[in-house]
């Protein structure tokens, strides 16, 4: 017994001596070189973050040099931006080109047709160029925000070109490129989508002059009714003879004005498309997270991709410019705010991708090989320098493997270094690191939401709208401060003076806790099939590589070198994380100007900064444990936050909007509709009213509206007197998005100026009793005048009555609800004018025994709404004066509408 005790004691003393020796050696270096660092060294982390953010911002906006006509001899098969620019200049000079307007139906359509004819005339003899001018009418069901509507188009136009391929035998396969040349009212649409059409015209020129045909045919679709929404694309896929050949498409869009064209949707499934993109594109800009965000519905936009996917059942890729979304759908979407490099980069990428797809084997097999259609992809570009893609199934394996290794490797490495004596302390400090990260995340989210709430409460919402740098002070500084406080408090609460770990080992253990935090997040995201988990996976990978390299180089016991290596790996981490910050801030900040007033946009921006702030600082904040104190760091961060708060709340810097005087307009949007309301009964007018309808497009709009319309005169739409007497309040209901989601205000006024001969007619021509319980109504619609006008039919069956059939299409979609009433909503767009009447029929089923007025009972109410979008020369003096009262930094979209409500 005595001998055993002596041996055990000797063993413990030996182990203690080894550990003490190790601690003494490392401790001496710590004291001299690292422990503890001066407080000002914490500022270096902030400087590193800002530096990486600046570099990633530059890379996000970098564009290649543009080629001009002088480069044609040296690059005869290249995309020449200057030639595309000439086309864009002409399209821009037509001004706004909404569907139905003379500028769109006669001007832009004829110009594009002439350019297609020129390309045909200059095509190489080996090429076969076929053209088609499609004028289509049709209808289809679609839903927005879960509300069904029937979209009807009459005489919309498509200009289609087919560049025949070599493989004309057997089953034909074609690639389609799509753009739209129509615009919204009051916007020249240089970026949305004239630039894309100019790019397609140049690609057509380049490919048609090649001495050899492509393997597969290429269809170029220039569609004239996308903003209506998405109608001409449906006309093509449902009615054109070449639509059956299309096996894949590239859709060129824009939600901004310039910058890189982002690949933000692909497929669905069909991973071969992403693989082709990776092989072909020289300047990649593509992120899976963009696809998942767009498809979540948070962005108030849609594209022809939806039509090709849902009605054509064709896979494809969706591209859009997203920089400077302030100009999207405004008068500032002009050629003055675009540059040649924007067209050059887009043209280079789309031309290369077109060649890759049109000459690849997949296009010919996609119709017969189901394996090509299976599986989703994870894809992303790394700072625009190179492109990475892999299957979603591989992504799940990679994510889980990285999550496990990011815990196991550093944990084993650190435990091996401290041997058996400090293993428990390593685990406890790992949990401290996890707790600090969790508490920092919760605190940062709570604080930024509080700041967001207070800014909105004091009337300073969107102070960062024109000055996004304020976001860094308003929200970025509080995020970093909360993480620092959380880690310092956890360190103070759970410090162990008897721990065998030195300070460096303690910090390394807490960094393992950060890995544990990301593991607990990445695995659930992966199991939920959220492919955007790759963002975290890349950060975890960089942390793992840092740990492995530390072990290989033997830096475990050399704190200074370990710290230098750790910070070196934080540079790519910060570049990666700040890239996403810039990408989403540049996307969402302008979008807050058209999201309506129902949601506080401060919350969206605050949460975005909290999330990406966590990505940026998660592996930096635990290093505050190496500082002698954090008071200087936290004081400076607090000062920065206070300065930003003062700038946002008390100076002109925080005013959200700018006119064009500084060359960077960021306007507030306003839709104003001069409206005439008429209710009929048995052929006679029973009531009539008029006024102005204002739409509240952003959080601050109501103050401007009340300033223009006077608070006593502008009433919320649902408080209108007509909400008790007219179907759907008698408002010019043309958009589910604007009427149902946004707040609207009404001000009574004089009647608008209307030329009755330009108004589409909706007249009852026949009533037929099909059976004792089914009655059919026939109406004639006539639209003879070439003007930009949209109609809407709101059909509300009486209680106990049901619309069971109509001539618009084979099915009758469900109803939408507004003001406590339910009705079928039909949107009708007119392209080319037509003198021929169009007959539509509606069949209603009812129980005759329950009709209060017997056989002569009214079965339904109908609201026939007609909205003129380009009607400026017919505006009344009162309407012009009202529009002129809006400030220079406001973009007003005026319209004139007539609402006729009748019971039948």
């Amino acid at each position: 017994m005595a001998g055993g005790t002596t041996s055990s004691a000797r063993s413990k003393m030996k182990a203690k001596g080894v550990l003490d020796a190790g601690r003494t050696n490392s401790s001496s270096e710590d004291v001299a070189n690292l422990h503890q660092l001066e407080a000002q060294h914490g500022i270096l982390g902030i400087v590193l973050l800002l530096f990486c953010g600046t570099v990633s911002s530059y890379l996000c906006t970098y564009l290649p040099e543009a080629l001009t006509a002088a480069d044609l001899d040296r690059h005869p098969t290249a995309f020449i931006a200057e030639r595309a620019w000439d086309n864009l200049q002409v399209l821009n000079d037509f001004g706004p080109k909404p569907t139905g307007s003379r500028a769109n139906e006669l001007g832009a359509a004829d110009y594009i047709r002439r350019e297609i004819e020129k390309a045909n005339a200059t095509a190489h003899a080996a090429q076969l160029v076929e053209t088609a001018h499609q004028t289509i009418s049709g209808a289809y069901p679609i839903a927005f925000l879960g509300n069904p509507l029937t979209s009807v188009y009459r005489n919309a136009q498509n200009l289609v070109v087919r560049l025949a391929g070599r493989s004309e035998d057997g089953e034909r396969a074609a690639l389609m490129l799509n753009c739209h040349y129509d615009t919204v009212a009051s916007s020249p649409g240089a970026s949305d989508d004239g630039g894309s059409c100019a790019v397609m015209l140049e690609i057509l020129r380049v490919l048609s002059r090649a001495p050899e045909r492509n393997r597969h045919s290429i269809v170029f679709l220039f569609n004239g009714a996308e903003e209506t929404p998405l109608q001409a694309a449906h006309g093509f896929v449902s009615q054109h003879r070449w639509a059956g050949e299309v096996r894949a498409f590239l859709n060129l869009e824009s939600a901004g004005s310039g910058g890189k064209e982002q690949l933000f949707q692909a497929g669905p499934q069909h991973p071969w498309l992403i693989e082709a993109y990776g092989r072909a594109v020289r300047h990649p800009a593509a992120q899976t997270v963009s696809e998942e965000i767009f498809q979540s519905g948070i962005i108030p936009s849609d594209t022809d991709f939806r039509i090709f996917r849902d009605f054509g059942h064709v896979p494809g890729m969706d591209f859009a410019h997203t920089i400077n979304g302030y100009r999207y759908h405004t008068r500032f979407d002009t050629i003055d705010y675009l540059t040649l490099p924007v067209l050059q980069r887009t043209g280079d990428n789309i031309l290369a991708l077109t060649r890759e797809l049109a000459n690849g084997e997949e296009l010919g097999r996609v119709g017969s090989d189901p394996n090509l259609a299976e599986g989703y992809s994870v894809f992303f570009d790394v700072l625009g320098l190179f492109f990475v893609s892999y299957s979603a199934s591989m992504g799940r394996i990679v994510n889980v493997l990285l999550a496990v290794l990011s815990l196991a490797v550093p944990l084993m490495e650190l435990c091996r270094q401290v041997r058996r004596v400090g293993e428990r302390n390593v685990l406890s400090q790992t949990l401290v690191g996890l707790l600090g990260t969790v508490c920092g995340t919760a605190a940062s989210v709570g604080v930024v939401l509080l700041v967001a709430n207070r800014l909105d409460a004091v009337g300073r919402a969107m102070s960062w709208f024109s000055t996004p740098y304020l976001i860094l002070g308003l929200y970025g500084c509080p995020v970093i401060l909360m993480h620092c406080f959380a880690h310092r408090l956890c360190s103070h609460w759970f410090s162990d003076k008897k721990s065998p770990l030195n300070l460096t080992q303690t910090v390394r253990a807490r960094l393992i806790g950060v890995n544990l935090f990301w593991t607990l997040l990445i695995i659930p995201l992966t199991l939920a099939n959220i492919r955007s988990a790759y963002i975290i996976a890349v950060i975890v990978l960089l942390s793992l590589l840092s740990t492995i390299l530390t072990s290989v180089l033997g830096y475990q016991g050399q704190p200074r070198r370990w710290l230098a290596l750790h910070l070196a790996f934080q540079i790519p981490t910060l570049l990666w994380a700040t890239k996403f910050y810039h990408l989403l801030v540049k996307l969402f900040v302008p979008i807050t100007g058209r999201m309506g007033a129902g949601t506080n946009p401060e919350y969206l921006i605050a949460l975005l900064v909290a999330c990406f702030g966590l990505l940026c600082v998660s592996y930096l904040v635990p290093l505050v444990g190496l500082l002698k104190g954090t008071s200087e760091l936290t004081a400076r961060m607090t000062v920065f936050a206070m300065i930003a708060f003062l700038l946002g709340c008390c100076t002109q810097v925080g005013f959200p909007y700018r006119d064009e005087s500084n060359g960077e307009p960021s306007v507030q949007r306003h839709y104003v509709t001069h409206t005439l309301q008429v209710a009929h009964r048995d052929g006679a007018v029973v009531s009539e009213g008029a006024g102005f309808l204002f739409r509240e497009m952003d959080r601050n709009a109501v103050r401007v509206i009340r300033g223009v319309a006077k608070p006593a005169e502008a009433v919320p739409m649902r408080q209108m007197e007509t909400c008790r007497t007219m179907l759907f309040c008698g408002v010019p209901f043309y958009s589910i998005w604007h009427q149902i989601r946004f707040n609207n205000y009404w001000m009574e006024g004089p009647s608008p100026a209307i030329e009755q001969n330009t108004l589409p007619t909706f007249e009852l021509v026949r009533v037929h009793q099909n059976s004792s319980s089914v009655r059919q109504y026939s109406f004639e619609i006539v639209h003879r005048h070439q003007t930009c006008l949209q109609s809407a039919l709101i059909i509300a069956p009486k209680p106990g009555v049901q619309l069971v059939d109509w001539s618009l299409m084979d099915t009758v979609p469900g109803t939408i609800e507004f003001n406590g009433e339910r009705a079928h909503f039909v949107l009708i767009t007119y392209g080319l004018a037509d003198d021929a009447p169009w007959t539509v029929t509606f069949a209603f089923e009812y129980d005759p025994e329950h009709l209060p007025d017997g056989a002569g009972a009214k079965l339904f109410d109908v609201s026939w709404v007609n909205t003129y979008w380009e009607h400026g020369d017919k505006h009344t003096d009162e309407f012009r004066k009202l529009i002129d009262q809006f400030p220079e930094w406001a973009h007003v979209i005026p319209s004139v509408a007539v609402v006729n409500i009748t019971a039948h």
Side-chain angles (χ1 to χ4, degrees):
M1 290 292 293
T5 302
T6 303
S7 175
S8 176
R10 189 180 297 115
S11 177
K12 290 181 180 179
M13 290 176 64
K14 183 177 179 180
K16 183 175 184 299
V18 172
L19 183 61
D20 287 344
R23 290 184 61 191
T24 302
N25 291 338
S26 63
S27 180
S28 62
E29 184 177 356
D30 287 350
V31 172
N33 301 325
L34 191 61
H35 300 331
Q36 296 210 357
L37 294 177
E38 296 297 330
Q40 61 265 26
H41 284 88
I43 303 298
L44 297 179
I46 305 301
V47 172
L48 181 65
L49 174 60
L50 294 175
F51 171 76
C52 291
T54 303
V55 172
S56 63
S57 177
Y58 169 78
L59 293 175
C60 280
T61 55
Y62 172 76
L63 298 171
E65 290 295 323
L67 297 180
T68 65
D71 299 307
L72 189 57
D73 292 337
R74 292 183 293 114
H75 305 283
T77 62
F79 182 95
I80 305 297
E82 187 177 47
R83 294 194 300 194
W85 186 265
D86 292 339
N87 294 139
L88 178 58
Q89 181 71 65
V90 177
L91 291 173
N92 178 83
D93 289 346
F94 281 117
K97 299 173 286 296
T99 302
S101 66
R102 292 179 175 273
N104 189 68
E105 307 305 327
L106 306 180
D110 287 344
Y111 173 73
I112 293 175
R113 188 186 302 111
R114 291 196 301 271
E115 290 301 303
I116 291 171
E117 291 171 353
K118 290 178 184 178
N120 191 6
T122 59
H124 194 277
Q127 301 292 341
L128 173 61
V129 181
E130 302 173 89
T131 62
H133 178 197
Q134 185 188 26
T135 303
I136 65 271
S137 299
Y140 59 96
I142 195 169
F144 292 98
L145 303 174
N147 296 283
L149 68 88
T150 301
S151 183
V152 178
Y153 50 94
R154 301 291 297 172
N155 298 322
Q157 296 188 85
N158 282 323
L159 303 170
V160 195
V161 185
R162 182 177 180 270
L163 196 61
R166 298 193 306 271
S167 57
E168 290 291 287
D169 298 331
E171 184 181 4
R172 294 184 173 186
L175 171 71
M176 182 176 69
L177 277 66
N178 175 69
C179 72
H180 67 90
Y181 57 87
D182 68 309
T183 73
V184 295
S186 303
S187 176
S191 182
D192 181 26
D193 195 29
S196 297
C197 290
V199 165
M200 278 177 48
L201 284 171
E202 174 61 9
I203 291 175
L204 173 61
R205 275 191 289 264
V206 172
L207 294 178
S208 65
R209 296 174 185 178
E212 184 179 356
R213 291 191 189 184
N214 294 289
R215 180 175 181 175
H216 302 289
S217 300
I218 304 172
V219 174
F220 295 82
L221 173 58
F222 301 86
N223 88 63
E226 189 270 351
E227 302 287 2
T228 49
L230 318 180
Q231 293 172 326
H234 180 269
F236 175 81
V237 298
S238 63
Q239 301 179 42
H240 201 281
R241 66 183 186 277
W242 292 335
E245 300 180 16
V246 175
R247 297 291 179 269
F249 68 88
L250 306 178
N251 185 47
L252 309 186
E253 261 292 357
S254 181
S257 179
K260 300 179 178 181
E261 82 294 335
Q262 296 281 339
L263 170 59
F264 68 98
Q265 283 193 105
Q269 302 194 59
H270 290 269
W272 62 275
L273 289 170
I274 293 296
E275 294 169 5
Y277 180 91
R279 292 192 303 268
V281 170
R282 294 169 51 193
H283 314 292
Q287 296 291 339
T288 301
V289 67
S290 299
E291 179 176 79
E292 294 192 326
I293 287 174
F294 185 83
Q295 294 180 353
S296 71
I298 191 174
I299 296 177
S301 295
D302 214 335
T303 74
D304 285 326
F305 182 99
R306 178 177 183 178
I307 300 297
F308 300 139
R309 177 195 66 198
D310 295 348
F311 294 94
H313 308 293
V314 181
M317 288 185 270
D318 216 354
F319 299 87
H321 299 93
T322 58
I323 299 298
N324 288 316
Y326 304 107
R327 302 166 197 155
Y328 171 72
H329 284 187
T330 72
R331 65 181 181 274
F332 297 111
D333 186 7
T334 69
I335 200 168
D336 298 332
Y337 295 99
L338 288 176
T339 61
L340 278 171
V342 174
L343 299 184
Q344 186 67 53
R345 179 199 154 86
T346 304
D348 285 346
N349 285 344
I350 301 303
L351 176 59
L353 184 56
T354 299
R355 284 172 169 155
E356 176 69 25
L357 293 172
N359 291 287
E361 64 173 15
E362 294 92 346
L363 206 64
R365 294 194 296 117
V366 68
S368 58
D369 187 353
N371 293 326
L372 287 176
E374 296 178 354
Y376 289 90
S377 296
V378 176
F379 57 90
F380 53 89
D381 70 278
V382 179
L383 299 172
L385 304 176
F386 58 92
F387 183 73
V388 177
S389 69
Y390 45 86
S391 68
S393 57
M394 176 62 70
R396 288 190 287 271
I397 296 173
V398 169
N399 290 351
V400 174
L401 186 61
L402 284 175
V404 172
L405 291 178
S406 69
L407 281 178
V409 172
L411 200 57
M412 289 190 297
E413 175 62 29
L414 188 54
C415 288
R416 184 182 62 82
Q417 184 181 353
V418 299
R419 297 179 182 171
R420 294 184 179 87
V421 180
E423 289 177 350
R424 178 172 295 183
N425 296 91
V426 169
L427 294 175
S428 65
Q429 291 303 316
T430 296
L431 294 177
V432 172
L434 171 64
L435 181 63
T437 307
V438 171
C439 292
T441 302
S444 62
V445 169
V447 168
V448 295
L449 289 179
L450 178 62
V451 172
N453 180 272
R454 292 298 87 199
L455 284 172
D456 184 61
V458 299
R460 302 302 294 185
M462 300 173 63
S463 59
W464 31 260
F465 187 70
S466 296
T467 316
Y469 295 111
L470 282 178
I471 295 173
L472 297 177
L474 290 171
Y475 297 118
C477 287
V479 166
I480 297 175
L481 280 170
M482 290 302 102
H483 280 284
C484 288
F485 286 146
H487 276 272
R488 290 298 289 178
L489 286 174
C490 288
S491 177
H492 175 72
W493 290 336
F494 300 102
S495 62
D496 184 3
K497 295 181 180 179
K498 297 181 180 180
S499 173
L501 304 180
N502 61 38
L503 189 54
T504 304
Q505 292 165 344
T506 300
V507 171
R508 287 174 59 193
R510 291 175 183 170
L511 287 170
I512 299 173
V514 178
N515 287 342
L516 178 57
F517 172 84
W518 289 124
T519 297
L520 294 175
L521 188 58
I522 196 173
I523 289 180
L525 291 176
T526 301
L527 295 177
N529 293 321
I530 297 178
R531 291 172 290 146
S532 298
Y534 74 91
I535 298 174
I536 304 173
V538 170
I539 291 179
V540 170
L541 172 62
L542 291 169
S543 173
L544 179 60
L545 292 176
S546 174
T547 299
I548 294 173
L549 195 56
T550 296
S551 179
V552 170
L553 297 176
Y555 288 172
Q556 304 94 325
Q558 303 179 51
R560 193 171 202 175
R561 294 184 178 181
W562 163 79
L563 180 60
L565 185 63
H566 176 77
L567 292 176
F569 271 88
Q570 285 308 292
I571 293 176
T573 298
L574 292 174
L575 289 171
W576 174 256
T578 54
K579 170 195 169 68
F580 288 99
Y581 170 81
H582 291 303
L583 179 68
L584 295 182
V585 163
K586 292 178 187 297
L587 172 66
F588 278 111
V589 165
I591 283 177
T592 60
R594 53 189 176 94
M595 288 180 66
T599 302
N600 181 4
E602 296 288 337
Y603 291 145
L604 173 64
I605 300 303
L607 290 174
L608 187 152
V609 175
C611 291
F612 287 97
L614 172 63
L615 285 174
C616 291
V617 304
S618 61
Y619 288 100
L620 288 176
V621 173
L623 300 181
V624 299
L626 300 174
L627 302 177
K628 290 182 178 179
T630 58
S631 57
E632 183 174 350
L633 172 64
T634 55
R636 293 188 181 186
M637 295 295 292
T638 303
V639 169
F640 293 152
M642 292 302 299
I643 291 175
F645 192 83
L646 291 173
L647 288 173
C649 294
C650 304
T651 71
Q652 189 65 21
V653 174
F655 184 74
Y657 313 103
R658 304 286 187 272
D659 57 24
E660 68 268 37
S661 59
N662 68 343
E664 296 289 337
S666 47
V667 294
Q668 186 182 61
R669 302 160 190 263
H670 291 273
Y671 284 79
V672 184
T673 304
H674 196 178
T675 306
L676 174 65
Q677 303 164 307
V678 183
H680 303 264
R681 182 82 179 184
D682 298 327
V685 175
V686 293
S687 66
E688 184 173 317
F692 304 95
L693 187 71
F694 304 86
R695 290 166 181 81
E696 192 176 19
M697 295 293 291
D698 73 20
R699 192 69 169 180
N700 300 314
V702 65
R703 282 179 290 183
V704 177
I705 292 171
R706 292 193 181 280
V708 170
K710 307 297 184 293
E713 299 176 14
V715 299
M717 178 178 61
R718 288 172 176 80
Q719 297 179 17
M720 294 167 55
E721 185 68 27
T722 52
C723 283
R724 293 188 289 273
T725 60
M726 290 186 177
L727 177 63
F728 276 29
C729 296
V731 299
F733 202 103
Y734 75 92
S735 163
I736 287 177
W737 189 272
H738 285 170
Q739 267 75 31
I740 290 182
R741 176 167 179 171
F742 292 173
N743 294 326
N744 290 254
Y745 294 85
W746 176 262
M747 183 179 73
E748 291 186 359
S751 297
I754 299 293
E755 294 181 353
Q756 292 298 324
N757 65 312
T758 68
L759 200 66
T761 58
F762 180 74
E763 296 180 353
L764 179 66
V765 294
R766 182 169 180 262
V767 179
H768 182 262
Q769 194 72 35
N770 292 351
S771 68
S772 61
S773 61
V774 177
R775 189 184 301 170
Q776 180 175 289
Y777 295 78
S778 297
F779 295 86
E780 277 191 355
I781 300 176
V782 180
H783 171 59
R784 296 186 176 92
H785 197 76
Q786 189 65 64
T787 186
C788 175
L789 182 145
Q790 275 186 310
S791 299
L793 270 174
I794 302 168
I795 304 166
K798 298 287 187 180
V801 180
Q802 183 180 2
L803 176 62
V804 293
D805 191 24
W806 58 9
S807 61
L808 297 178
M809 57 185 184
D810 294 336
T811 60
V812 179
T815 58
I816 62 174
E817 182 177 353
F818 181 80
N819 191 41
E821 300 171 302
R822 301 201 67 90
H824 301 274
F825 180 50
V826 181
L827 180 67
I828 306 173
T829 302
Y830 308 95
L832 292 170
D834 188 2
D835 287 337
W838 168 40
T839 301
V840 295
T841 60
F842 305 92
F844 295 87
E845 186 176 33
Y846 59 94
D847 185 351
E849 296 181 358
H850 291 84
L851 289 181
D853 297 328
K858 305 296 185 182
L859 299 187
F860 66 99
D861 292 314
V862 60
S863 178
W864 173 241
V865 182
N866 289 282
T867 303
Y868 295 87
W869 288 109
E870 293 295 326
H871 203 63
D873 57 336
K874 301 295 189 298
H875 290 170
T876 63
D877 291 339
E878 292 86 350
F879 196 19
R880 292 192 185 97
K881 290 177 182 178
L882 182 70
I883 295 172
D884 290 342
Q885 291 181 49
F886 283 88
E888 288 295 320
W889 40 261
H891 173 69
V892 181
I893 302 97
S895 57
V896 176
V898 180
V899 181
N900 283 284
I901 300 174
T902 309
H904 291 282

